[in-house]
Amino acid sequence: MNRVLRFSLFASLTTLLASGAWGQLVDQTLAPNTAKVGILKSLQTEIGAGRGDAMIPESSIFLIERDPFRSVRRGRQLFQRKFTTLQGRGSGPDDGTGDINSNNAIGAGVADSCASCHGRPKGSAGAGGDVATRPDSRDAPHLFGIGLKEMLADEITFDLRSIRDATAAKAVARRRTVTATLQSKGIKFGTITANSAGAVDLSQIQGIDADLRVKPFFAEGSMGSLREFISTAFHNELGMNTNDPDLIAASAGARIVTPSGMVLDGTKDKIQPPPTPNSGTGNEINTALVDHLEFYLLNYFKPGHDNQTETTQRGRIAFERIGCSSCHVANLMINRDRRVADLDTVYDPVRGNFNTLFSTATPLVNVVSDGTSYPALKQPAYNPFLVTDIYTDFKRHDLGPNFYERNYDGTTQTMFLTRPLWGVGSTGPYGHDGRSISLDAVIRRHGGEAQKSTDAYAALPSGRSAALLVFLNSLVLFPPDDTASTLDPGNPATPGFPQFGHGSIKLTVLFNDPTDVE
């Protein structure tokens, strides 16, 4: 048996299904419409048989292991689903009242879907709602490529902790002080020094907490896993809760592996348990839904590239020469990719028949028969994967007072993660707080550790600085349901084009049963 899933097996299926999915989606079982747009399955049907396992059909783990593209699609639908009050959608933490100095979640924006804040509407496909977790607030970031961020951060964490442990062991064995550089994937996080007793001095580390856990989520870098992110967002923004057994066990000190392959080790990290439900509401979100959302976000499409020209290349070179790439690192290697597919989206005015972008899907799975009557297992190949043009170093930096923000307790937030620049051409306004109106303005706003690069940018000839901005604007997001792909290349001759036949990234053709749509 060919162990590699080849998308050509599904080529004949690409005309079976219409796409029809935008930013937020209604439930057609609750709100039927003539255009037949929206989610086709009820929330209870999406829950299916609950979490289950690989031997329980319609459970979340069964789909993740045997029909993974359906799980990705289901998670995507859940992300876009407009939850109703009858399904448990409620107010935010403490209904916006209480001690916001100690619980800034009180300032979270109330929404009815994940896409309310992290939108992917037709056209802009980017960031959204304003969340008042600090008095000066901030823009919710786009989530394209978020699974790649989790994997990179986790592997960097492993490398740094391995260096720490090896340095301590070496100091004990040699009976003398040993100093080592903390470095992973070409990024330096300062130095550590271990004495002959094995005690480690971490006072010289840079841009990271003393536990050496890289936390890639939130502007200040305060959360390490997608599963924690999902659970917290449901509670804070939708007023819904989950009694997630993985987070409960890990927060109590256990080591667990989530269905998406993320290791949550309570012996090494402080794992955030599911938030306590608001009084009287209970837990409205079944664990199976969290499984699908985590798997979807792990496999969330990475940003794309608009037209790459001689000008963008000059801009890329200028970006590197003035030192921006010392923090905004372009390419980072994942050693063990847990995704089931990759999508590369580039400028293609011929095949990109509607928005001049075209996506090529590449499988990352092995198909393995386990001798049962069920569909074969479709397992991640776990190969290395080079993440290109992400432009981040996963470190916190002090960029000077122009980037500082007040906290509700009267303190000032001075350290923020290097925000990845992929997709930056689609996500104005700029900065983690959205207080810069242009790319030129946010570059000039940089101070502190970036002052030298800012001065170099200001001194560039106008042609060079203009090329640099053209380059940054070529790092784009895209609307998946309106971007032609190898899964659905579209056909401009379709009656009613471009409302019909413009192509899409159609995961439904990869289901075990493509006629059973979500």
Side-chain angles (χ1 to χ4, degrees):
M1 174 182 287
N2 186 347
R3 294 169 62 88
V4 178
L5 177 64
R6 299 191 182 278
F7 281 86
S8 60
L9 294 176
F10 306 99
S12 62
L13 300 173
T14 57
T15 60
L16 287 178
L17 303 162
S19 59
W22 326 135
Q24 292 185 310
L25 292 179
V26 298
D27 182 335
Q28 287 195 59
T29 69
L30 301 177
N33 57 86
T34 305
K36 300 187 183 302
V37 171
I39 301 168
L40 295 177
K41 294 186 182 296
S42 68
L43 184 61
Q44 192 58 48
T45 304
E46 289 180 321
I47 292 171
R51 165 167 265 196
D53 57 38
M55 302 298 289
I56 300 179
E58 297 306 315
S59 69
S60 58
I61 294 180
F62 182 94
L63 294 181
I64 287 170
E65 296 195 9
R66 298 185 186 276
D67 199 358
F69 300 102
R70 180 181 294 278
S71 178
V72 173
R73 177 65 172 175
R74 185 163 296 182
R76 178 173 165 182
Q77 299 281 43
L78 289 165
F79 190 89
Q80 296 171 294
R81 171 180 283 277
K82 292 173 69 69
F83 286 91
T84 70
T85 54
L86 290 178
Q87 292 166 342
R89 191 197 75 227
S91 60
D94 300 323
D95 200 18
T97 64
D99 183 9
I100 199 169
N101 293 319
S102 59
N103 180 19
N104 65 4
I106 290 173
V110 178
D112 64 355
S113 76
C114 302
S116 295
C117 293
H118 307 284
R120 303 183 316 157
K122 282 178 172 289
S124 63
D130 202 31
V131 183
T133 51
R134 280 184 286 272
D136 301 312
S137 205
R138 67 173 179 86
D139 280 351
H142 74 78
L143 300 186
F144 281 67
I146 194 172
L148 295 169
K149 289 170 60 179
E150 181 189 57
M151 286 187 286
L152 285 167
D154 193 46
E155 290 188 358
I156 292 171
T157 298
F158 177 83
D159 290 346
L160 300 184
R161 288 176 170 175
S162 296
I163 293 170
R164 177 197 61 193
D165 296 344
T167 302
K170 185 182 294 185
V172 171
R174 296 182 178 181
R175 298 182 181 179
R176 62 177 178 83
T177 298
V178 175
T179 297
T181 298
L182 285 175
Q183 181 169 324
S184 175
K185 303 186 187 297
I187 304 165
K188 294 182 179 180
F189 292 81
T191 61
I192 58 172
T193 299
N195 64 24
S196 59
V200 180
D201 178 5
L202 296 164
S203 62
Q204 299 304 306
I205 63 175
Q206 299 171 355
I208 192 173
D209 290 335
D211 63 0
L212 305 186
R213 164 58 65 181
V214 177
K215 303 180 181 73
F217 306 130
F218 296 100
E220 71 282 357
S222 58
M223 188 168 286
S225 76
L226 289 171
R227 203 161 183 96
E228 293 170 282
F229 178 86
I230 293 165
S231 175
T232 301
F234 261 124
H235 177 77
N236 291 351
E237 274 76 42
L238 279 81
M240 305 177 80
N241 302 282
T242 176
N243 197 34
D244 181 25
D246 289 353
L247 293 181
I248 291 172
S251 65
R255 181 185 184 278
I256 64 96
V257 181
T258 75
S260 294
M262 178 65 178
V263 176
L264 301 176
D265 192 341
T267 68
K268 297 179 179 179
D269 294 300
K270 183 178 180 180
I271 307 296
Q272 188 165 322
T276 302
N278 294 327
S279 177
T281 60
N283 294 294
E284 303 92 345
I285 299 299
N286 189 283
T287 303
L289 303 182
V290 181
D291 291 343
H292 290 307
L293 275 165
E294 182 190 24
F295 194 63
Y296 159 63
L297 291 177
L298 170 68
N299 288 281
Y300 204 135
F301 314 132
K302 66 181 187 289
H305 292 83
D306 203 357
N307 195 12
Q308 300 299 296
T309 65
E310 188 176 315
T311 300
T312 60
Q313 181 59 21
R314 289 201 308 270
R316 184 187 291 264
I317 292 171
F319 181 89
E320 295 170 353
R321 285 182 176 174
I322 65 175
C324 298
S325 58
S326 62
C327 294
H328 293 285
V329 180
N331 305 327
L332 298 169
M333 179 68 77
I334 289 176
N335 299 325
R336 189 173 183 268
D337 190 355
R338 293 186 273 115
R339 297 175 303 154
V340 294
D342 180 63
L343 198 80
D344 193 43
T345 306
V346 300
Y347 175 78
D348 188 334
V350 176
R351 293 188 296 173
N353 58 70
F354 181 45
N355 62 3
T356 72
L357 295 172
F358 189 85
S359 295
T360 299
T362 301
L364 302 173
V365 301
N366 292 330
V367 179
V368 179
S369 174
D370 62 347
T372 70
S373 60
Y374 296 123
L377 299 169
K378 296 182 177 68
Q379 301 173 336
Y382 298 117
N383 290 325
F385 182 85
L386 181 63
V387 181
T388 59
D389 287 354
I390 182 172
Y391 287 107
T392 184
D393 63 358
F394 290 94
K395 293 171 63 175
R396 300 188 190 101
H397 295 276
D398 183 337
L399 298 183
N402 284 339
F403 273 92
Y404 293 174
E405 282 195 74
R406 298 171 296 157
N407 292 315
Y408 283 108
D409 63 5
T411 61
T412 300
Q413 189 75 33
T414 63
M415 301 289 285
F416 293 94
L417 279 175
T418 301
R419 177 159 285 192
L421 295 184
W422 55 5
V424 72
S426 304
T427 56
Y430 300 98
H432 57 271
D433 50 11
R435 290 193 283 185
S436 293
I437 63 172
S438 67
L439 285 169
D440 177 75
V442 78
I443 293 171
R444 294 178 186 274
R445 182 177 163 192
H446 283 60
E449 297 176 42
Q451 188 63 59
K452 185 177 179 180
S453 293
T454 302
D455 293 342
Y457 171 78
L460 284 174
S462 59
R464 293 262 184 93
S465 60
L468 190 153
L469 296 176
V470 170
F471 157 62
L472 292 178
N473 275 305
S474 76
L475 305 175
V476 297
L477 305 180
F478 53 90
D481 302 297
D482 298 302
T483 300
S485 74
T486 51
L487 301 176
D488 176 14
N491 181 4
T494 302
F497 180 87
Q499 282 71 33
F500 301 92
H502 55 254
S504 69
I505 299 165
K506 190 181 293 183
L507 297 179
T508 49
V509 300
L510 304 178
F511 294 177
N512 287 341
D513 179 5
T515 64
D516 178 21
V517 295
E518 291 291 310

